[in-house]
């Protein structure tokens, strides 16, 4: 018999048909009721065992965590909370789970505890729901770009240029760490290394995506990126997934329009397709927030918040306007900010971003036209000579979710910028070629995938929205 998934069975009209299903036992009550789940959906299927018909030794093996194959008859359920159930005829144990040692018992486990058991935590309702939403978001992202004429582009993971400046990098080398070859000046001789030069894991696929946008028109990357910053926050990972669209002939306005439409579209997709999981996650969040002081609780429940994003325009504000708002804000005047805002040019900290989004505008904000000094070398210089066509999208509870810009397409301006910043032209010769041959206005942005998953699921810590998080001092599993 062909196995069915729990999800399929739960939406089947019962007519005493024979069914076969595999899964893990969530609970086994009164030696009679097995709640079985296979990950296909949030809900379990109830399987009713006539214990007199089965071997006692076999029933003893059934406990939370046991992997089972069940054959039986699908009938309308007498019990509350489910429409169908299986009257079990055959039970096969794939593998049992000793209740003395199996950590995922049917009780509330803390997220911290489950982080230590990252290989088993997906068997809890919370993590299964988060990971199903993560998968749906990932599909929605590919679908959005495909529907809008973009090509999926695979940026290299190992990179030889370290000029992006987005963060500290992880070195990739095959040299013997105990006895690396040395050059005449006593420094490590990377000419002897695998690639004949220093290489690192990429912090962003942008520069390579620019090359491809200048031939394919509209491309996007969706892959892992790596940053060796020592940031132990609830928003930073050392390995995270980033989506980076890059579009020829797009200026900053078109870039902002795309980013806003894109985010709204993928959130609509999960609102339509992940209802059950989102409802569960919303309830989880409400329970979690009960233990917090009123002021720290979110004003909207999860689904309401997602709908709010989809239905409302993001507020677009220049950096200069934002600085004025912040300078005159209550927390700034009362010296409540850790980094007080004094003058134009200050880099914005997350406390400032959150003030703008959560207290002042109360909606997502796109900040644009930042001072050139606090942004990357490749952003297009404005006529004023001191700001660049940068944009960051700030989200409630998350802070920066997107960073992007219109790129500097003028060879001379770009070269001058690189010179002042001490970036070697030789190292980025190919990037400069893009401005030598058929250059054009172009733009793009990067969306941190885990921050989007965090926002979508209401999970407070980024370590709980990626299967196996990589953070300082932590690469178990
Ligand atoms: O603002 P960032 O550094 O931008 C870039 O890397 C550009 N090259 C993107 C582009 O224009 N193509 O990073 C983009 C986004 C951030 O807004 C944030 O959401 C996420 O990536 N991000 C991180 N997410 C998790 N952990 C980290 N350490 C992150 N650093 C950035
Ligand atoms: Mg940024």
């Amino acid at each position: 018999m062909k196995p069915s998934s729990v999800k399929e069975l739960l939406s089947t009209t019962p007519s005493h048909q024979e069914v076969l299903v595999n899964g893990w036992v969530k609970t086994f009550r009164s030696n009679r009721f097995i709640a079985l789940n296979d990950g296909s959906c949030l809900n379990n299927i109830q399987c009713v065992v006539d214990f007199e018909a089965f071997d006692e030794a076999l029933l003893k093996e059934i406990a939370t965590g046991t992997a089972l194959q069940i054959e039986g008859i699908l009938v309308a359920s007498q019990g509350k909370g489910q429409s169908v159930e299986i009257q079990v005829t055959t039970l096969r144990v794939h593998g049992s789970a000793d209740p003395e040692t199996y950590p995922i018992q049917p009780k509330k486990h803390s997220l911290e505890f489950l982080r230590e058991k990252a290989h088993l935590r997906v068997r809890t309702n919370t993590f299964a729901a988060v990971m199903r939403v993560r998968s749906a978001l990932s599909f929605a992202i590919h679908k959005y770009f495909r529907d809008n004429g973009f090509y999926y582009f695979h940026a290299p993971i190992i990179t030889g240029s370290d000029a992006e400046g987005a963060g500290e990098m992880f070195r990739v080398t095959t040299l013997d760490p105990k006895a690396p070859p040395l050059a005449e000046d006593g420094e490590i001789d990377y000419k002897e290394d695998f690639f004949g030069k220093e290489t690192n894991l990429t912090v962003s696929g942008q520069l390579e995506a620019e090359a491809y946008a200048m031939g394919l028109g509209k491309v996007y990357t969706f892959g892992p990126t790596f940053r060796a910053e020592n940031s132990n926050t609830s928003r930073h990972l050392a390995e995270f997934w980033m989506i980076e669209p890059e579009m020829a002939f797009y200026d900053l306005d078109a870039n902002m329009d795309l980013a806003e439409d894109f985010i709204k579209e993928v959130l609509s997709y999960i609102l339509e397709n992940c209802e059950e999981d989102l409802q569960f996650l919303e309830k989880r969040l409400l329970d979690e927030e009960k233990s917090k002081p009123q002021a720290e609780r979110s004003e909207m429940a999860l689904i309401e918040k997602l709908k709010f994003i989809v239905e409302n325009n993001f507020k677009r504000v220049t950096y200069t306007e934002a600085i004025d708002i912040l300078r005159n804000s209550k927390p700034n005047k009362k010296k409540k900010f850790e980094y007080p805002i004094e003058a134009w040019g200050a880099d914005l900290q997350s406390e400032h971003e959150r003030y703008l989004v959560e207290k002042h505008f109360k909606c997502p904000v796109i900040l644009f036209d930042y001072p050139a000094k606090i942004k990357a070398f490749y952003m297009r210089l404005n006529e004023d000579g001191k700001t660049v066509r940068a944009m960051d999208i700030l989200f409630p509870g998350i802070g920066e979710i997107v960073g992007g810009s219109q790129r500097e397409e003028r060879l001379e301006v770009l070269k001058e910028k690189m010179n002042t910043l001490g970036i070697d032209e030789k190292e980025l010769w190919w990037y400069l070629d893009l401005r030598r041959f058929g250059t054009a206005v172009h733009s793009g942005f990067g969306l941190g995938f885990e921050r989007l998953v965090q926002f979508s699921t209401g999970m407070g810590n980024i370590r709980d929205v990626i299967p196996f998080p990589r953070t300082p001092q932590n690469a178990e599993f």
Side-chain angles (χ1 to χ4, degrees):
M1 202 188 317
K2 193 172 156 284
S4 304
S5 69
V6 171
K7 187 179 178 178
E8 286 162 349
L9 293 179
L10 291 178
S11 58
T12 301
T13 311
S15 57
H16 284 73
Q17 61 270 57
E18 275 183 50
V19 295
L20 187 153
V21 62
N22 292 294
W24 293 270
V25 175
K26 283 276 179 175
T27 54
F28 185 31
R29 284 187 297 121
S30 323
N31 232 6
R32 188 164 164 78
F33 301 107
I34 299 172
L36 196 78
N37 191 281
D38 62 354
S40 59
C41 62
L42 183 75
N43 289 319
N44 308 318
I45 188 151
Q46 170 155 285
C47 308
V48 186
V49 184
D50 174 5
F51 52 84
E52 284 174 354
F54 290 90
D55 191 27
E56 207 177 318
L58 177 68
L59 293 179
K60 275 226 164 84
E61 280 191 73
I62 301 175
T64 297
T66 301
L68 275 184
Q69 184 178 74
I70 284 178
E71 277 177 60
I73 312 293
L74 192 71
V75 298
S77 176
Q78 261 85 72
K80 267 197 301 197
Q82 69 254 333
S83 55
V84 297
E85 64 188 27
I86 300 174
Q87 288 173 349
V88 179
T89 51
T90 315
L91 271 174
R92 254 175 249 115
V93 174
H94 290 291
S96 56
D98 182 355
E100 297 294 312
T101 49
Y102 180 54
I104 313 293
Q105 291 301 319
K107 60 167 194 169
K108 208 170 157 46
H109 296 292
S110 76
L111 296 173
E112 290 78 9
F113 170 82
L114 290 170
R115 250 169 250 154
E116 309 275 303
K117 313 274 182 254
H119 59 310
L120 299 171
R121 66 180 179 173
V122 73
R123 301 192 198 178
T124 65
N125 286 340
T126 297
F127 282 92
V130 168
M131 294 307 159
R132 278 189 296 264
V133 173
R134 183 181 164 108
S135 171
L137 279 169
S138 160
F139 174 76
I141 287 165
H142 284 299
K143 177 168 159 39
Y144 178 85
F145 287 122
R146 204 179 162 81
D147 291 348
N148 285 280
F150 282 72
Y151 295 106
Y152 183 25
F153 158 75
H154 300 103
I157 303 283
I158 299 174
T159 160
S161 53
D162 67 351
E164 153 96 7
E168 292 298 309
M169 310 226 264
F170 289 101
R171 165 133 328 136
V172 175
T173 179
T174 54
L175 293 179
D176 178 356
K178 287 199 212 82
L182 300 180
E184 274 169 17
D185 59 4
E187 297 288 314
I188 295 177
D189 186 4
Y190 286 102
K191 285 208 188 68
E192 304 250 327
D193 205 348
F194 189 89
F195 296 104
K197 63 185 295 193
E198 281 189 68
T199 49
N200 296 286
L201 293 179
T202 188
V203 293
S204 155
Q206 178 197 321
L207 303 192
E208 290 89 353
E210 280 185 56
Y212 265 66
M214 300 313 279
L216 290 178
K218 296 196 284 188
V219 298
Y220 70 103
T221 73
F222 187 173
T225 50
F226 307 87
R227 298 192 186 177
E229 294 149 288
N230 205 355
S231 311
N232 259 308
T233 79
S234 58
R235 315 259 177 273
H236 287 88
L237 291 164
E239 176 183 288
F240 65 99
W241 286 63
M242 187 155 46
I243 297 103
E244 295 184 275
E246 191 69 35
M247 301 75 65
F249 316 115
Y250 270 51
D251 64 8
L252 189 69
D253 285 325
N255 197 22
M256 292 194 278
D257 290 344
L258 176 79
E260 184 170 341
D261 186 56
F262 164 61
I263 292 177
K264 287 177 172 171
E265 203 56 44
V266 298
L267 293 182
S268 304
Y269 181 87
I270 58 162
L271 281 167
E272 272 164 41
N273 292 279
C274 304
E275 208 184 337
E276 194 179 76
D277 286 324
L278 290 177
Q279 274 166 3
F280 172 82
L281 290 166
E282 169 168 300
K283 201 172 154 296
R284 188 208 73 85
L285 187 59
L286 288 172
D287 286 346
E288 186 184 84
E289 291 196 331
K290 275 187 197 141
S291 61
K292 287 187 184 167
Q294 193 75 39
E296 282 174 39
R297 295 184 200 168
S298 38
E299 282 167 26
M300 287 183 213
L302 181 63
I303 293 174
E304 191 188 355
K305 196 175 67 171
L306 296 175
K307 288 192 176 146
F308 179 84
I309 302 284
V310 170
E311 287 160 10
N312 288 282
N313 289 339
F314 297 5
K315 181 85 190 160
R316 298 184 191 188
V317 190
T318 65
Y319 167 91
T320 305
E321 289 169 304
I323 284 289
D324 281 342
I325 294 166
L326 288 167
R327 214 171 3 205
N328 296 317
S329 69
K330 251 196 209 159
N332 200 50
K333 288 185 167 158
K334 294 194 167 164
K335 308 233 175 314
K336 289 271 159 62
F337 284 141
E338 196 182 333
Y339 299 89
I341 295 287
E342 274 145 23
W344 190 93
D347 205 352
L348 299 184
Q349 306 295 326
S350 74
E351 56 179 349
H352 308 129
E353 298 177 339
R354 295 187 70 163
Y355 174 83
L356 290 170
V357 174
E358 288 158 33
K359 297 281 183 307
H360 190 83
F361 291 112
K362 295 184 188 289
C363 71
V365 173
I366 312 186
L367 284 189
F368 64 100
D369 283 351
Y370 280 77
K373 282 217 172 77
I374 58 172
K375 288 290 181 187
F377 77 97
Y378 51 70
M379 299 189 180
R380 193 182 198 279
L381 193 63
N382 278 313
E383 302 298 301
D384 63 12
K386 59 174 191 175
T387 59
V388 286
R389 303 246 80 191
M391 64 111 170
D392 277 6
I393 303 187
L394 313 177
F395 258 42
I398 301 287
E400 181 192 330
I401 194 161
V402 161
S405 65
Q406 185 176 323
R407 320 306 189 189
E408 184 55 78
E409 84 285 12
R410 298 162 297 182
L411 181 63
E412 290 313 317
V413 184
L414 185 60
K415 283 213 285 202
E416 204 183 304
K417 187 73 164 292
M418 286 169 64
N419 286 339
T420 32
L421 292 175
I423 301 170
D424 192 354
E425 278 184 33
K426 273 192 238 112
E427 210 188 312
L428 282 181
W429 63 273
W430 61 271
Y431 189 70
L432 291 168
D433 262 5
L434 304 175
R435 279 77 183 161
R436 287 191 183 100
F437 309 123
T439 191
V441 166
H442 64 290
S443 299
F445 63 84
L447 170 90
F449 185 51
E450 282 74 21
R451 292 193 188 173
L452 179 70
V453 183
Q454 257 190 295
F455 184 78
S456 305
T457 57
M459 299 300 283
N461 195 313
I462 200 164
R463 294 159 206 230
D464 297 331
V465 300
I466 187 164
F468 297 105
R470 301 290 180 247
T471 51
Q473 300 297 310
N474 171 32
E476 193 66 54
F477 308 102

